[in-house]
Amino acid sequence: MYLKSTPGGAGPSAADATATDRQALLAGVARLGRMWLERIPAADPQREHLIRMGILAESLMKTGDRSPAAMTTARMLLCANCRHLDAAPKECAGQALDRCPLLRASGP
Ligand SMILES: [Zn+2]
């Protein structure tokens, strides 16, 4: 039995998530973006980052890009926004999306 090794050194958590899980994680990122947009003032410059995060998550869902690089980009945008908004001050440690407490809490 031969196990395919992934070139490029993808992290173990990224390799563990199935395509369906990743689709759900991206949907969760888009949903959090919309939720946060409703909570912050209309003039908050952070809106631009939230909108960008939503656009990225939705375009990844459309194109079907589930590469570790795509998931990492989505995670970095989510964490940057989450920290700025202080959404999970004690729980966010920049972990992978499948271990993000915000996505777990908001998921089904
Ligand atoms: Zn985070």
Side-chain angles (χ1 to χ4, degrees):
M1 175 175 176
Y2 296 96
L3 292 173
K4 261 193 211 167
S5 67
T6 334
S13 66
D16 288 344
T18 67
T20 316
D21 286 341
R22 290 182 185 182
Q23 179 79 8
L25 291 170
L26 290 172
V29 170
R31 190 170 55 222
L32 279 173
R34 283 193 298 271
M35 198 173 83
W36 288 342
L37 269 176
E38 286 170 16
R39 290 185 187 175
I40 65 176
D44 196 315
Q46 189 68 16
R47 293 186 79 84
E48 199 185 311
H49 298 281
L50 286 174
I51 290 165
R52 204 174 298 162
M53 180 180 86
I55 291 171
L56 175 97
E58 274 163 23
S59 78
L60 290 179
M61 283 193 282
K62 267 185 213 144
T63 58
D65 187 350
R66 308 282 181 271
S67 64
M71 299 306 288
T72 299
T73 306
R75 194 266 300 161
M76 288 193 312
L77 285 174
L78 178 67
C79 280
N81 282 308
C82 143
R83 281 177 194 191
H84 185 89
L85 299 170
D86 227 7
K90 293 194 185 103
E91 296 163 290
C92 181
Q95 57 271 71
L97 283 179
D98 56 327
R99 279 177 286 151
C100 177
L102 286 171
L103 289 176
R104 289 177 140 188
S106 74

XYZ file of all heavy atoms in Angstrom:
793
model
N 0.845 -1.197 0.000
C 0.000 0.000 0.000
C 0.884 1.252 0.000
O 1.785 1.392 0.804
C -0.882 -0.031 1.242
C -1.712 1.221 1.420
S -2.810 1.018 2.841
C -3.545 2.636 2.879
N 0.590 2.113 -0.940
C 1.375 3.335 -1.059
C 0.547 4.544 -0.654
O -0.533 4.757 -1.179
C 1.860 3.522 -2.495
C 2.815 2.428 -2.913
C 2.341 1.321 -3.610
C 4.164 2.500 -2.591
C 3.199 0.304 -3.975
C 5.031 1.487 -2.957
C 4.548 0.388 -3.656
O 5.393 -0.611 -4.015
N 1.077 5.290 0.284
C 0.400 6.525 0.669
C 1.015 7.675 -0.102
O 2.222 7.842 -0.121
C 0.542 6.776 2.168
C -0.211 5.789 3.075
C 0.149 6.058 4.526
C -1.708 5.899 2.867
N 0.167 8.433 -0.733
C 0.653 9.591 -1.475
C 1.119 10.653 -0.491
O 0.372 11.026 0.416
C -0.496 10.198 -2.286
C -0.496 9.767 -3.744
C -1.456 10.659 -4.512
C -2.090 9.924 -5.672
N -3.213 10.663 -6.226
N 2.304 11.141 -0.666
C 2.720 12.249 0.176
C 2.436 13.540 -0.572
O 2.549 13.599 -1.783
C 4.197 12.137 0.537
O 4.975 12.300 -0.618
N 2.044 14.547 0.179
C 1.703 15.816 -0.451
C 2.935 16.699 -0.530
O 3.506 17.026 0.496
C 0.625 16.553 0.371
O -0.118 15.572 1.081
C -0.292 17.340 -0.525
N 3.335 17.048 -1.725
C 4.482 17.964 -1.834
C 4.094 19.368 -1.372
O 2.933 19.739 -1.465
C 4.814 17.958 -3.326
C 3.601 17.445 -4.021
C 2.760 16.707 -3.009
N 5.031 20.097 -0.861
C 4.750 21.459 -0.446
C 4.512 21.579 1.045
O 4.350 22.663 1.556
N 4.503 20.452 1.746
C 4.403 20.487 3.195
C 3.112 21.067 3.726
O 3.129 21.963 4.557
N 1.975 20.587 3.243
C 0.703 21.041 3.792
C 0.570 20.545 5.221
O 0.992 19.437 5.534
C -0.452 20.505 2.957
N -0.001 21.360 6.074
C -0.166 20.976 7.470
C -1.104 19.800 7.590
O -1.943 19.594 6.726
N -0.966 19.024 8.662
C -1.796 17.827 8.827
C -3.289 18.137 8.902
O -4.092 17.408 8.365
C -1.304 17.226 10.149
C -0.477 18.274 10.801
C -0.019 19.213 9.729
N -3.649 19.270 9.528
C -5.067 19.574 9.682
C -5.695 19.889 8.330
O -6.830 19.534 8.069
C -5.263 20.741 10.639
O -4.722 21.902 10.079
N -4.948 20.554 7.453
C -5.479 20.879 6.132
C -5.708 19.608 5.329
O -6.657 19.501 4.573
C -4.525 21.805 5.391
N -4.827 18.635 5.508
C -4.944 17.396 4.755
C -6.076 16.523 5.299
O -6.641 15.719 4.568
C -3.634 16.636 4.800
N -6.402 16.692 6.561
C -7.429 15.860 7.175
C -8.845 16.213 6.746
O -9.698 15.355 6.628
C -7.355 15.966 8.702
C -6.140 15.238 9.242
O -5.557 14.430 8.502
O -5.763 15.497 10.392
N -9.087 17.493 6.548
C -10.448 17.923 6.234
C -10.871 17.413 4.864
O -10.111 17.474 3.910
C -10.534 19.448 6.280
N -12.074 16.900 4.771
C -12.578 16.444 3.481
C -13.079 17.635 2.673
O -13.226 18.733 3.205
C -13.747 15.468 3.682
O -14.835 16.202 4.250
C -13.361 14.325 4.595
N -13.361 17.397 1.398
C -13.841 18.475 0.537
C -15.150 19.058 1.068
O -15.360 20.268 1.028
C -14.025 17.969 -0.883
N -16.006 18.186 1.586
C -17.283 18.655 2.127
C -17.063 19.529 3.354
O -17.684 20.575 3.502
C -18.174 17.460 2.528
O -18.108 16.491 1.491
C -19.614 17.889 2.739
N -16.157 19.086 4.212
C -15.838 19.878 5.393
C -15.342 21.258 4.984
O -15.709 22.254 5.580
C -14.727 19.207 6.212
C -15.250 17.985 6.948
O -16.477 17.886 7.109
O -14.427 17.146 7.347
N -14.494 21.267 3.982
C -13.918 22.551 3.565
C -14.975 23.478 2.997
O -14.949 24.681 3.229
C -12.810 22.313 2.545
C -11.606 21.668 3.208
C -10.484 21.457 2.241
N -9.413 20.737 2.922
C -8.261 20.434 2.362
N -8.026 20.779 1.111
N -7.349 19.792 3.039
N -15.911 22.898 2.240
C -17.006 23.707 1.708
C -17.793 24.326 2.868
O -18.136 25.499 2.853
C -17.921 22.826 0.849
C -19.124 23.544 0.258
C -18.781 24.362 -0.975
O -17.675 24.288 -1.499
N -19.716 25.170 -1.450
N -18.039 23.521 3.915
C -18.786 24.005 5.073
C -17.989 25.078 5.815
O -18.552 26.056 6.303
C -19.116 22.850 6.006
N -16.677 24.906 5.886
C -15.834 25.894 6.561
C -15.865 27.219 5.811
O -15.978 28.287 6.412
C -14.394 25.385 6.666
C -14.174 24.202 7.622
C -12.768 23.642 7.463
C -14.406 24.624 9.065
N -15.792 27.144 4.477
C -15.841 28.370 3.672
C -17.199 29.051 3.827
O -17.284 30.275 3.925
C -15.559 28.055 2.197
C -14.114 27.647 1.886
C -13.997 27.159 0.446
C -13.156 28.804 2.130
N -18.252 28.244 3.853
C -19.591 28.807 4.061
C -19.652 29.490 5.422
O -20.259 30.549 5.572
C -20.645 27.712 3.959
N -19.001 28.887 6.412
C -18.971 29.473 7.747
C -18.213 30.797 7.759
O -18.623 31.746 8.424
N -17.136 30.869 7.002
C -16.363 32.111 6.917
C -17.232 33.211 6.307
O -17.294 34.334 6.815
C -15.082 31.903 6.070
C -14.401 33.236 5.783
C -14.112 30.980 6.809
N -17.941 32.873 5.214
C -18.814 33.849 4.560
C -19.923 34.295 5.510
O -20.259 35.483 5.582
C -19.405 33.253 3.287
N -20.456 33.328 6.280
C -21.549 33.642 7.203
C -21.068 34.553 8.335
O -21.742 35.512 8.709
C -22.106 32.334 7.773
C -23.402 32.509 8.564
C -24.004 31.164 8.890
N -23.045 30.327 9.584
C -22.855 29.030 9.340
N -23.541 28.425 8.405
N -21.963 28.346 10.009
N -19.883 34.257 8.877
C -19.330 35.110 9.941
C -19.099 36.525 9.413
O -19.333 37.500 10.118
C -18.012 34.529 10.446
C -18.115 33.391 11.465
C -16.736 32.803 11.727
C -18.718 33.882 12.773
N -18.629 36.615 8.165
C -18.390 37.930 7.566
C -19.664 38.749 7.516
O -19.675 39.926 7.878
N -20.751 38.094 7.093
C -22.035 38.805 7.007
C -22.540 39.185 8.401
O -23.053 40.277 8.619
C -23.085 37.929 6.317
C -22.906 37.864 4.804
C -24.127 37.275 4.138
N -24.383 35.908 4.558
C -23.870 34.837 3.956
N -23.095 34.981 2.906
N -24.141 33.626 4.392
N -22.348 38.268 9.366
C -22.807 38.518 10.726
C -22.062 39.709 11.331
O -22.667 40.590 11.942
C -22.540 37.259 11.548
C -23.309 37.151 12.828
S -23.009 35.516 13.558
C -21.462 35.796 14.413
N -20.761 39.733 11.142
C -19.963 40.830 11.705
C -20.280 42.152 11.023
O -20.275 43.204 11.660
C -18.468 40.493 11.598
C -18.050 39.415 12.548
C -18.732 38.997 13.661
C -16.870 38.618 12.475
N -18.026 37.981 14.279
C -16.896 37.733 13.580
C -15.796 38.560 11.584
C -15.871 36.818 13.813
C -14.790 37.647 11.815
C -14.821 36.780 12.918
N -20.550 42.089 9.719
C -20.891 43.317 8.993
C -22.132 43.976 9.590
O -22.244 45.201 9.622
C -21.151 43.003 7.516
C -19.948 43.092 6.578
C -20.353 42.668 5.173
C -19.360 44.491 6.555
N -23.066 43.148 10.049
C -24.290 43.699 10.634
C -24.021 44.344 11.989
O -24.791 45.178 12.442
C -25.340 42.591 10.815
C -25.966 42.177 9.498
C -26.813 40.919 9.649
O -27.147 40.549 10.796
O -27.116 40.299 8.615
N -22.958 43.928 12.635
C -22.706 44.394 13.999
C -21.862 45.662 14.096
O -21.897 46.342 15.102
C -21.980 43.301 14.795
C -22.873 42.133 15.088
C -22.134 41.163 15.959
N -22.896 39.938 16.145
C -22.441 38.881 16.799
N -21.227 38.911 17.314
N -23.178 37.817 16.919
N -21.064 45.928 13.081
C -20.170 47.081 13.213
C -20.768 48.303 12.523
O -21.598 48.176 11.630
C -18.755 46.765 12.672
C -18.773 46.512 11.162
C -18.147 45.578 13.413
C -17.375 46.303 10.589
N -20.337 49.498 12.963
C -20.889 50.738 12.401
C -20.615 50.851 10.903
O -19.617 50.341 10.404
C -20.138 51.840 13.161
C -19.531 51.180 14.351
C -19.345 49.743 14.000
N -21.521 51.553 10.222
C -21.419 51.687 8.768
C -20.119 52.357 8.340
O -19.614 52.112 7.244
C -22.612 52.469 8.247
N -19.567 53.206 9.205
C -18.366 53.950 8.832
C -17.071 53.235 9.224
O -15.980 53.727 8.972
C -18.400 55.332 9.466
N -17.188 52.085 9.854
C -15.989 51.369 10.312
C -15.143 50.907 9.123
O -15.644 50.219 8.237
C -16.418 50.166 11.145
C -15.270 49.593 11.971
O -14.159 49.446 11.405
O -15.467 49.300 13.161
N -13.876 51.307 9.105
C -13.009 50.903 7.978
C -12.815 49.390 7.897
O -12.419 48.864 6.855
C -11.681 51.610 8.254
C -11.765 52.157 9.632
C -13.188 52.176 10.060
N -13.107 48.681 8.991
C -12.964 47.230 9.001
C -13.959 46.554 8.058
O -13.748 45.420 7.630
C -13.150 46.718 10.441
C -12.814 45.235 10.632
C -11.331 44.946 10.475
O -10.512 45.851 10.506
N -10.983 43.689 10.287
N -15.024 47.255 7.704
C -16.034 46.695 6.789
C -15.393 46.203 5.503
O -15.769 45.178 4.967
C -17.097 47.740 6.443
C -17.962 48.146 7.603
C -19.069 49.069 7.133
N -20.150 48.317 6.512
C -21.132 47.737 7.192
N -21.179 47.853 8.487
N -22.072 47.073 6.575
N -14.447 46.984 5.024
C -13.786 46.631 3.765
C -13.128 45.253 3.867
O -13.192 44.448 2.943
C -12.737 47.691 3.454
C -12.306 47.716 2.009
C -11.169 48.714 1.818
O -11.319 49.855 2.300
O -10.150 48.339 1.246
N -12.510 44.979 5.011
C -11.836 43.689 5.209
C -12.856 42.552 5.310
O -12.615 41.456 4.830
C -10.973 43.729 6.476
C -9.885 44.761 6.407
N -8.713 44.543 5.714
C -9.804 46.011 6.904
C -7.953 45.629 5.821
N -8.595 46.526 6.536
N -13.969 42.849 5.973
C -15.020 41.827 6.106
C -15.619 41.504 4.742
O -15.874 40.346 4.415
C -16.116 42.326 7.045
C -15.748 42.338 8.528
C -16.847 42.991 9.352
C -15.484 40.938 9.035
N -15.832 42.545 3.947
C -16.403 42.335 2.612
C -15.431 41.526 1.761
O -15.813 40.573 1.078
C -16.731 43.697 1.959
C -17.914 44.331 2.694
C -17.041 43.521 0.472
C -18.123 45.807 2.393
N -14.162 41.869 1.871
C -13.146 41.143 1.103
C -13.099 39.667 1.516
O -12.979 38.774 0.688
C -11.778 41.793 1.329
C -10.814 41.531 0.213
C -9.534 42.313 0.409
N -9.730 43.758 0.402
C -8.850 44.638 0.886
N -7.726 44.228 1.424
N -9.081 45.925 0.825
N -13.218 39.419 2.819
C -13.213 38.046 3.313
C -14.412 37.272 2.771
O -14.282 36.120 2.341
C -13.255 38.065 4.845
C -13.255 36.709 5.489
S -13.315 36.824 7.301
C -15.077 36.942 7.610
N -15.580 37.917 2.755
C -16.785 37.267 2.239
C -16.655 36.948 0.757
O -17.024 35.864 0.305
N -16.113 37.899 0.006
C -15.941 37.696 -1.434
C -14.982 36.541 -1.691
O -15.231 35.679 -2.532
C -15.427 38.996 -2.104
C -16.517 40.056 -2.079
C -14.969 38.717 -3.544
C -16.043 41.432 -2.524
N -13.903 36.496 -0.924
C -12.930 35.414 -1.104
C -13.570 34.059 -0.800
O -13.464 33.129 -1.603
C -11.722 35.626 -0.194
C -10.755 34.444 -0.274
C -9.622 34.731 -1.240
C -10.229 34.031 1.070
N -14.260 33.966 0.333
C -14.870 32.682 0.722
C -15.875 32.237 -0.330
O -15.907 31.066 -0.723
C -15.538 32.815 2.088
N -16.680 33.177 -0.812
C -17.693 32.806 -1.791
C -17.081 32.437 -3.133
O -17.563 31.524 -3.812
C -18.726 33.919 -1.932
C -19.807 33.740 -0.868
C -20.646 34.977 -0.654
O -20.715 35.814 -1.574
O -21.228 35.118 0.434
N -16.022 33.127 -3.512
C -15.418 32.772 -4.794
C -14.705 31.425 -4.710
O -14.691 30.664 -5.676
C -14.478 33.884 -5.288
O -13.266 33.834 -4.609
N -14.161 31.093 -3.543
C -13.545 29.768 -3.382
C -14.608 28.678 -3.444
O -14.382 27.606 -4.006
C -12.785 29.678 -2.054
C -11.500 30.498 -1.939
C -10.884 30.333 -0.560
C -10.499 30.132 -3.008
N -15.784 28.963 -2.888
C -16.872 27.980 -2.949
C -17.305 27.776 -4.398
O -17.593 26.669 -4.819
C -18.062 28.447 -2.105
C -17.839 28.254 -0.620
S -19.368 28.462 0.335
C -19.522 30.227 0.372
N -17.345 28.865 -5.161
C -17.769 28.781 -6.561
C -16.753 28.050 -7.425
O -17.100 27.201 -8.233
C -17.975 30.196 -7.132
C -19.412 30.663 -6.999
C -19.594 32.015 -7.676
C -20.633 32.840 -6.916
N -20.313 34.270 -6.898
N -15.483 28.414 -7.254
C -14.467 27.811 -8.116
C -14.104 26.407 -7.657
O -13.484 25.655 -8.402
C -13.178 28.658 -8.134
O -12.693 28.777 -6.792
C -13.424 30.045 -8.693
N -14.476 26.057 -6.434
C -14.156 24.730 -5.936
C -12.693 24.595 -5.529
O -12.169 23.500 -5.425
N -12.043 25.717 -5.277
C -10.642 25.674 -4.849
C -10.574 25.291 -3.373
O -10.994 26.031 -2.507
C -9.988 27.044 -5.064
C -8.490 27.004 -4.794
O -7.993 25.992 -4.270
O -7.814 27.990 -5.124
N -10.083 24.086 -3.103
C -9.972 23.626 -1.707
C -8.506 23.372 -1.363
O -8.202 22.572 -0.490
C -10.732 22.311 -1.505
C -12.138 22.321 -1.959
C -13.062 23.031 -0.972
N -14.420 22.970 -1.487
C -14.922 23.881 -2.301
N -14.219 24.925 -2.658
N -16.141 23.766 -2.745
N -7.612 24.006 -2.098
C -6.194 23.767 -1.857
C -5.800 24.296 -0.481
O -6.434 25.211 0.037
C -5.370 24.461 -2.942
O -5.558 25.859 -2.858
N -4.773 23.707 0.114
C -4.313 24.204 1.412
C -4.004 25.701 1.365
O -4.273 26.420 2.333
C -3.046 23.391 1.670
C -3.244 22.127 0.904
C -4.039 22.518 -0.317
N -3.474 26.180 0.244
C -3.151 27.602 0.136
C -4.425 28.445 0.203
O -4.458 29.485 0.864
C -2.406 27.884 -1.163
N -5.475 27.989 -0.476
C -6.747 28.727 -0.465
C -7.345 28.735 0.929
O -7.830 29.769 1.411
C -7.731 28.101 -1.456
N -7.285 27.578 1.608
C -7.849 27.496 2.952
C -7.050 28.365 3.921
O -7.605 28.974 4.827
C -7.858 26.039 3.442
C -8.686 25.082 2.590
S -10.409 25.595 2.326
C -11.128 25.312 3.939
N -5.740 28.405 3.713
C -4.895 29.231 4.577
C -5.206 30.714 4.388
O -5.268 31.477 5.347
C -3.410 28.958 4.287
O -3.141 27.582 4.568
C -2.513 29.818 5.162
N -5.423 31.119 3.139
C -5.768 32.512 2.871
C -7.073 32.879 3.561
O -7.179 33.928 4.206
C -5.898 32.754 1.352
O -4.700 32.323 0.733
C -6.123 34.225 1.051
N -8.062 31.996 3.447
C -9.352 32.243 4.093
C -9.175 32.332 5.608
O -9.744 33.195 6.271
C -10.346 31.136 3.737
N -8.344 31.448 6.152
C -8.119 31.433 7.598
C -7.419 32.719 8.060
O -7.783 33.299 9.081
C -7.262 30.200 7.951
C -7.228 29.854 9.417
C -6.053 30.459 10.128
N -4.783 30.007 9.575
C -3.630 30.626 9.755
N -3.580 31.730 10.468
N -2.527 30.167 9.216
N -6.445 33.164 7.264
C -5.716 34.373 7.670
C -6.636 35.597 7.681
O -6.561 36.431 8.576
C -4.521 34.619 6.743
C -3.406 33.599 6.981
S -1.823 34.017 6.214
C -2.312 34.435 4.566
N -7.515 35.684 6.673
C -8.460 36.800 6.641
C -9.431 36.717 7.811
O -9.731 37.719 8.460
C -9.242 36.799 5.319
C -8.482 37.284 4.089
C -9.315 37.083 2.838
C -8.125 38.756 4.240
N -9.900 35.508 8.087
C -10.840 35.333 9.201
C -10.173 35.728 10.517
O -10.742 36.469 11.315
C -11.331 33.885 9.266
C -12.277 33.588 10.429
C -13.593 34.322 10.268
C -12.535 32.108 10.566
N -8.968 35.252 10.749
C -8.281 35.548 12.011
C -7.968 37.023 12.150
O -8.078 37.584 13.238
C -7.002 34.723 12.127
S -7.326 33.034 12.670
N -7.587 37.666 11.048
C -7.290 39.096 11.117
C -8.545 39.863 11.530
O -8.492 40.745 12.391
C -6.774 39.600 9.771
N -9.676 39.506 10.931
C -10.933 40.166 11.272
C -11.370 39.817 12.691
O -11.820 40.680 13.441
C -12.026 39.763 10.276
C -11.895 40.519 8.969
O -11.806 41.743 8.954
N -11.857 39.803 7.864
N -11.226 38.553 13.042
C -11.654 38.097 14.359
C -10.860 38.805 15.453
O -11.404 39.219 16.460
C -11.531 36.570 14.394
S -10.990 35.807 15.889
N -9.585 38.994 15.230
C -8.779 39.681 16.237
C -9.112 41.154 16.321
O -9.196 41.728 17.397
C -7.300 39.512 15.921
C -6.864 38.146 16.369
C -5.436 37.883 16.036
N -5.192 36.456 16.198
C -3.996 35.916 16.187
N -2.938 36.668 16.013
N -3.854 34.629 16.350
N -9.310 41.746 15.146
C -9.628 43.174 15.132
C -10.935 43.433 15.861
O -11.079 44.405 16.590
C -9.714 43.675 13.691
C -9.919 45.155 13.608
N -8.872 46.046 13.581
C -11.052 45.897 13.585
C -9.363 47.278 13.542
N -10.679 47.213 13.534
N -11.903 42.551 15.651
C -13.222 42.740 16.260
C -13.288 42.130 17.657
O -14.297 42.240 18.335
C -14.301 42.104 15.375
C -14.418 42.695 13.975
C -15.326 41.843 13.117
C -14.933 44.123 14.040
N -12.205 41.478 18.060
C -12.172 40.831 19.373
C -13.311 39.821 19.505
O -13.988 39.732 20.518
C -12.295 41.891 20.477
C -11.249 41.666 21.565
O -10.389 40.776 21.362
O -11.282 42.366 22.569
N -13.503 39.038 18.451
C -14.638 38.111 18.411
C -14.395 36.874 19.275
O -15.338 36.287 19.794
C -14.926 37.693 16.980
N -13.159 36.473 19.414
C -12.862 35.279 20.224
C -11.549 35.492 20.951
O -10.567 34.807 20.715
C -12.785 34.044 19.333
N -11.529 36.486 21.869
C -10.265 36.918 22.477
C -9.465 35.809 23.141
O -8.243 35.839 23.116
C -10.700 37.982 23.490
C -12.174 37.850 23.635
C -12.683 37.228 22.388
N -10.138 34.834 23.729
C -9.381 33.811 24.446
C -9.152 32.558 23.623
O -8.300 31.752 23.924
C -10.115 33.425 25.730
C -10.139 34.562 26.734
C -10.552 34.061 28.111
C -10.689 35.231 29.075
N -12.071 35.611 29.325
N -9.982 32.396 22.582
C -9.950 31.117 21.884
C -9.140 31.113 20.604
O -8.655 30.072 20.177
C -11.380 30.687 21.560
C -12.186 30.442 22.813
C -13.679 30.428 22.520
O -14.223 31.503 22.216
O -14.256 29.360 22.571
N -9.018 32.260 19.956
C -8.336 32.262 18.673
C -6.829 32.253 18.853
O -6.261 33.132 19.477
C -8.738 33.463 17.828
S -7.913 33.462 16.237
N -6.203 31.223 18.328
C -4.744 31.137 18.367
C -4.223 30.989 16.950
O -3.154 30.440 16.718
C -4.319 29.960 19.225
N -5.006 31.451 15.983
C -4.592 31.345 14.598
C -4.576 29.913 14.100
O -3.846 29.566 13.191
N -5.405 29.072 14.711
C -5.450 27.671 14.313
C -6.118 27.502 12.950
O -6.760 28.428 12.462
C -6.165 26.829 15.386
C -7.584 27.260 15.727
C -7.659 28.288 16.819
O -7.296 29.425 16.605
N -8.147 27.926 17.985
N -5.992 26.295 12.371
C -6.608 26.028 11.070
C -8.122 26.161 11.174
O -8.699 26.071 12.258
C -6.239 24.631 10.596
N -8.762 26.381 10.022
C -10.204 26.623 10.001
C -11.007 25.506 10.659
O -11.998 25.760 11.330
C -10.685 26.792 8.553
C -10.385 28.138 7.892
C -10.902 28.126 6.467
C -10.993 29.296 8.662
N -10.560 24.264 10.461
C -11.343 23.166 11.029
C -11.248 23.099 12.547
O -11.951 22.339 13.189
C -10.968 21.821 10.389
C -9.483 21.522 10.502
O -8.680 22.473 10.475
O -9.124 20.346 10.630
N -10.353 23.910 13.119
C -10.265 23.953 14.579
C -10.640 25.320 15.130
O -10.459 25.591 16.312
C -8.861 23.563 15.029
C -8.677 22.039 15.056
C -7.269 21.673 15.417
N -6.368 21.919 14.297
C -5.082 22.225 14.427
N -4.547 22.320 15.609
N -4.344 22.427 13.366
N -11.133 26.195 14.261
C -11.490 27.543 14.699
C -12.755 27.499 15.555
O -13.786 26.989 15.113
C -11.712 28.447 13.485
S -12.253 30.101 13.944
N -12.685 27.975 16.799
C -13.847 27.911 17.693
C -15.050 28.686 17.168
O -16.186 28.311 17.426
C -13.328 28.512 19.003
C -12.088 29.245 18.660
C -11.518 28.586 17.440
N -14.805 29.751 16.416
C -15.922 30.537 15.885
C -16.708 29.747 14.855
O -17.932 29.781 14.825
C -15.397 31.821 15.232
C -14.921 32.895 16.200
C -14.236 33.993 15.421
C -16.076 33.435 16.987
N -15.990 29.039 13.999
C -16.661 28.253 12.966
C -17.373 27.056 13.587
O -18.443 26.668 13.156
C -15.666 27.782 11.908
C -15.151 28.887 11.001
C -14.098 28.341 10.054
C -16.287 29.509 10.214
N -16.786 26.499 14.623
C -17.429 25.373 15.297
C -18.692 25.818 15.987
O -19.704 25.132 15.950
C -16.471 24.778 16.328
C -15.329 24.058 15.664
C -14.393 23.573 16.717
N -13.900 22.260 16.407
C -13.181 21.526 17.234
N -12.900 21.991 18.427
N -12.741 20.355 16.882
N -18.628 27.001 16.621
C -19.780 27.489 17.359
C -20.935 27.839 16.429
O -22.098 27.639 16.755
C -19.394 28.712 18.186
N -20.612 28.382 15.243
C -21.671 28.850 14.351
C -22.144 27.742 13.409
O -23.122 27.892 12.711
C -21.188 30.041 13.542
O -20.287 29.603 12.545
N -21.431 26.637 13.374
C -21.777 25.557 12.459
C -22.999 24.784 12.920
O -23.475 24.993 14.035
N -23.488 23.878 12.072
C -24.657 23.093 12.427
C -24.371 22.062 13.520
O -23.254 21.663 13.684
C -25.064 22.388 11.133
C -23.894 22.462 10.224
C -22.969 23.536 10.755
Zn -8.979 32.764 14.404
